[in-house]
Amino acid sequence: MNSFSPNMLKTFEACPVKYYFKYVQKISMPQKSSFFEKGKKIHALANYYLRGDNINKLETVLNEEEQNVWQSLKNNEFFKKTYIASEYNLSCKIGNYWIGGRLDALMKDENNYYILDYKTGSIPKNPEYDYQTMVYLLCAAKMYGNKLKFVYIDLKNNQNCTIDFTPEKEKEYEKILIEICDKITNAQLPEEIEHYKICEFCEYNKICL
Ligand code: SF4
């Protein structure tokens, strides 16, 4: 049975051919690592910190910009809530499909559980219906119930974007996700590949004819 992550769903929506290269043929292409470096460092540090590891030495390798981002995360009201888990793998079944992914962190207070997602770049344009939001909320709801919020922590602008989970949303999200999973399962590659503006920035463009 197929299992889908938010990245798989986003990739298919952006370009089914790219999905085919990446997840069917399992071809991985090199990407510029500097683009991801700051985000990776902050995510790793946040995980060690929340687990209670000593991070004094690790903090000293951050440059000034990374220090500011890290301080802003440490001072974030949601990051300070009660810790449950970080880098946390969750999955669940909807219809005939398994969906799942890895949460940056799960926190709680007396009222709610909070799925945290730290963004050093930009947050999604339509966060309520982003595949990551929908997949993580559905998976966490199966484990922790409906008193659940998704929080994008926007470290670039030092602000939060909070999305509430409701029984109505549960049904709506399931419907949307089953639809895209059905599309992927039944997809056929086009005989001729059309190229668009996004192809310029695609890591597969050299092998995509
Ligand atoms: S080069 Fe264009 S068509 Fe080919 S995989 Fe990338 S985005 Fe898709």
Side-chain angles (χ1 to χ4, degrees):
M1 188 184 296
N2 287 330
S3 170
F4 297 101
S5 68
N7 274 342
M8 291 169 83
L9 305 180
K10 279 182 203 182
T11 303
F12 183 84
E13 194 164 81
C15 174
V17 181
K18 185 168 173 174
Y19 179 92
Y20 176 77
F21 285 140
K22 198 167 177 177
Y23 297 111
V24 180
Q25 293 207 315
K26 299 191 191 308
I27 300 170
S28 63
M29 302 294 277
Q31 292 192 56
K32 280 188 189 146
S33 62
S34 60
F35 183 72
F36 300 104
E37 209 163 293
K38 180 170 62 179
K40 272 190 181 169
K41 271 192 206 168
I42 298 298
H43 280 76
L45 206 53
N47 182 35
Y48 299 143
Y49 176 81
L50 288 174
R51 282 186 340 196
D53 295 347
N54 183 339
I55 56 161
N56 292 349
K57 283 196 179 140
L58 292 174
E59 278 181 314
T60 62
V61 302
L62 299 179
N63 64 31
E64 196 183 334
E65 189 198 350
E66 291 162 348
Q67 271 293 352
N68 291 338
V69 170
W70 174 231
Q71 287 311 321
S72 138
L73 180 58
K74 273 210 295 192
N75 292 327
N76 184 280
E77 59 177 306
F78 293 102
F79 194 71
K80 288 182 182 170
K81 291 194 184 285
T82 306
Y83 171 72
I84 299 177
S86 50
E87 297 297 330
Y88 185 25
N89 285 313
L90 275 182
S91 59
C92 70
K93 200 171 171 213
I94 51 159
N96 291 325
Y97 304 106
W98 281 92
I99 53 168
R102 186 180 294 179
L103 280 56
D104 286 348
L106 185 70
M107 316 297 269
K108 70 170 183 178
D109 62 17
E110 61 280 7
N111 300 315
N112 285 297
Y113 288 91
Y114 302 89
I115 297 166
L116 305 191
D117 195 80
Y118 330 128
K119 292 284 185 217
T120 50
S122 33
I123 68 164
K125 287 200 178 68
N126 187 9
E128 210 172 341
Y129 292 95
D130 189 85
Y131 287 126
Q132 189 179 26
T133 311
M134 296 191 281
V135 168
Y136 289 4
L137 278 171
L138 284 178
C139 291
K142 303 265 185 213
M143 293 275 291
Y144 298 95
N146 284 358
K147 288 188 163 183
L148 193 59
K149 290 177 191 285
F150 193 114
V151 185
Y152 284 102
I153 300 182
D154 176 352
L155 294 165
K156 201 158 111 189
N157 302 302
N158 207 7
Q159 59 192 24
N160 304 314
C161 166
T162 307
I163 297 144
D164 291 330
F165 192 61
T166 61
E168 294 74 40
K169 277 212 181 116
E170 182 171 9
K171 287 199 182 68
E172 193 185 2
Y173 285 176
E174 280 197 9
K175 186 169 174 286
I176 295 170
L177 292 175
I178 289 172
E179 266 174 28
I180 180 88
C181 292
D182 280 343
K183 265 196 204 167
I184 296 176
T185 307
N186 299 320
Q188 307 232 320
L189 272 189
E191 281 178 15
E192 272 194 34
I193 297 171
E194 287 186 52
H195 289 275
Y196 300 95
K197 185 89 184 132
I198 57 160
C199 299
E200 270 180 51
F201 309 101
C202 173
E203 66 269 33
Y204 293 92
N205 61 12
K206 292 210 169 45
I207 61 166
C208 184
L209 305 169

